[in-house]
Amino acid sequence: MRSRRSCLAVPGSNPRFLEKAQGIGADEVFLDLEDSVAPLAKEGARKNIVAALREGDWSGKTRVVRVNDLGTQWTYRDVIEVVEGAGEFLDCLMLPKVEDPTQVVWLDTLLTQIEKANGLEVGRIGIEAQIESARGLVNVDAIGGSSKRLETLVFGPADFMASINMRTLVVGEQPPGYTEGDAYHYILMRILMAARMHDLQAIDGPYLAIKDLDGYRRVAGRAAALGFDGKWVLHPSQVEAANEVFSPAQEDYDHAELILDAYDYYTTVERRGAVMLGDEMIDEASRKMALVVAAKGRAAGLGRTGTFTPPTP
Ligand code: GLV
Ligand code: MG
């Protein structure tokens, strides 16, 4: 699985941003043809994006292009121009405002045709689906299972809040007057369940108050705690926070590796299934939890700072 702790939005209509994004340490960049690009700039943005993918240095990053949603007249040309122009330099397409599985199937079919016609490896380009409306959320389980190309489900809070008439204008923050809990909990969990059911990543969307880094960390931390894999970043200043928040802490990573080693030792050498590790009882379920943290730590490039020493008989 690709690392997607930080997913940087880059408007395709701005060549300067397309250039600058290459030097920013985000795990993923998505070059946008949708809502950050004005209707009259869409055609020019396609050309900018093809040139940036072909000529730019995106090494170490997942390269994604967000096309327009299927309610517009732009989507099919977005896909054809970008994939014919730069398909071999592209990892995924992001489809916004997905409302039912047939929309992903449409994109999958179109991609297959373009790949065949242009001698590209069939099936290599993945799909990210944005869930940004009540309809999308209600259909999210089926959307998650709609195509082998799907890699992530992405929450789009701005469009989503508008779709359900949530009474706020500050994207990502709690609606004023709601003091009972987290207004996003159900939505995030719903997306996360569908993602895990289909072995996909779950990505949280943007936090628009880009000057408020504490706010960003708080909201990102909430999604990370639930199990989300990453979050959008709209500004370079949010990248470091995202990479940190979505990587396990060194201490937790070390602890996870220790549990794996200890469990391995006790189950194979001593043939016991539930054992004490210090003050803590570990069993097969602890191993599974440790596997998740260890995998995220390894993907984030963490190294171990301790080792497991078997007890001396
Ligand atoms: C992102 O696309 C959003 O609507 O929040
Ligand atoms: Mg949106």
Side-chain angles (χ1 to χ4, degrees):
M1 276 238 188
R2 311 175 201 276
S3 194
R4 284 187 170 92
R5 296 166 304 172
S6 48
C7 305
L8 177 68
V10 190
S13 48
N14 190 323
R16 195 169 59 84
F17 285 179
L18 288 167
E19 173 79 37
K20 210 173 144 205
Q22 297 169 38
I24 295 172
D27 289 344
E28 167 180 311
V29 284
F30 75 86
L31 314 183
D32 193 20
L33 287 169
E34 204 221 12
D35 283 354
S36 70
V37 176
L40 292 177
K42 303 270 188 203
E43 287 188 19
R46 291 183 191 134
K47 296 192 170 50
N48 295 341
I49 285 177
V50 167
L53 286 171
R54 297 192 70 91
E55 291 152 25
D57 176 6
W58 302 99
S59 38
K61 294 181 175 56
T62 297
R63 302 152 300 176
V64 179
V65 173
R66 178 166 73 164
V67 297
N68 285 281
D69 77 82
L70 279 166
T72 70
Q73 70 271 40
W74 295 301
T75 327
Y76 78 105
R77 277 203 191 282
D78 289 345
V79 178
I80 293 168
E81 277 195 36
V82 167
V83 180
E84 287 198 340
E88 64 268 53
F89 303 96
L90 178 69
D91 299 307
C92 287
L93 286 181
M94 188 189 307
L95 189 62
K97 302 182 176 70
V98 176
E99 303 222 302
D100 71 61
T102 62
Q103 299 179 323
V104 179
V105 173
W106 173 88
L107 181 56
D108 184 335
T109 308
L110 180 55
L111 274 170
T112 302
Q113 292 196 352
I114 302 171
E115 286 166 340
K116 282 183 180 163
N118 292 273
L120 297 167
E121 182 186 334
V122 173
R124 193 192 59 81
I125 297 174
I127 297 177
E128 304 193 352
Q130 273 192 286
I131 304 299
E132 334 193 55
S133 65
R135 224 172 139 207
L137 192 68
V138 170
N139 289 332
V140 70
D141 294 340
I143 291 169
S146 57
S147 162
K148 282 205 175 67
R149 295 184 192 259
L150 260 188
E151 297 188 11
T152 70
L153 297 174
V154 183
F155 176 42
D159 278 302
F160 195 92
M161 287 153 68
S163 128
I164 64 167
N165 296 359
M166 195 185 268
R167 212 164 60 185
T168 176
L169 289 169
V170 187
V171 174
E173 284 297 348
Q174 302 300 315
Y178 187 73
T179 52
E180 306 311 311
D182 178 352
Y184 298 94
H185 182 76
Y186 169 75
I187 308 165
L188 291 172
M189 279 308 233
R190 194 76 193 73
I191 292 174
L192 185 62
M193 291 310 115
R196 293 297 175 253
M197 171 171 159
H198 296 290
D199 282 332
L200 308 173
Q201 289 180 327
I203 304 297
D204 193 13
Y207 184 78
L208 270 73
I210 54 176
K211 296 254 159 66
D212 182 2
L213 269 186
D214 289 341
Y216 182 88
R217 274 181 189 278
R218 179 170 34 80
V219 171
R222 173 189 68 186
L226 290 178
F228 271 62
D229 300 286
K231 181 170 174 64
W232 281 16
V233 291
L234 300 180
H235 189 266
S237 63
Q238 295 178 332
V239 171
E240 202 185 309
N243 288 347
E244 198 181 302
V245 168
F246 288 96
S247 305
Q250 181 71 45
E251 193 187 333
D252 294 336
Y253 172 67
D254 283 334
H255 189 61
E257 294 283 16
L258 196 66
I259 290 176
L260 293 180
D261 283 356
Y263 188 75
D264 188 47
Y265 168 80
Y266 286 113
T267 49
T268 54
V269 180
E270 299 200 8
R271 301 190 180 195
R272 292 157 61 201
V275 289
M276 293 302 286
L277 177 65
D279 291 341
E280 166 194 27
M281 180 135 138
I282 60 168
D283 66 4
E284 173 59 24
S286 335
R287 187 187 70 90
K288 290 200 179 97
M289 287 159 64
L291 272 177
V292 173
V293 177
K296 287 200 175 188
R298 289 175 207 159
L302 296 184
R304 289 185 70 162
T305 58
T307 49
F308 169 72
T309 345
T312 39

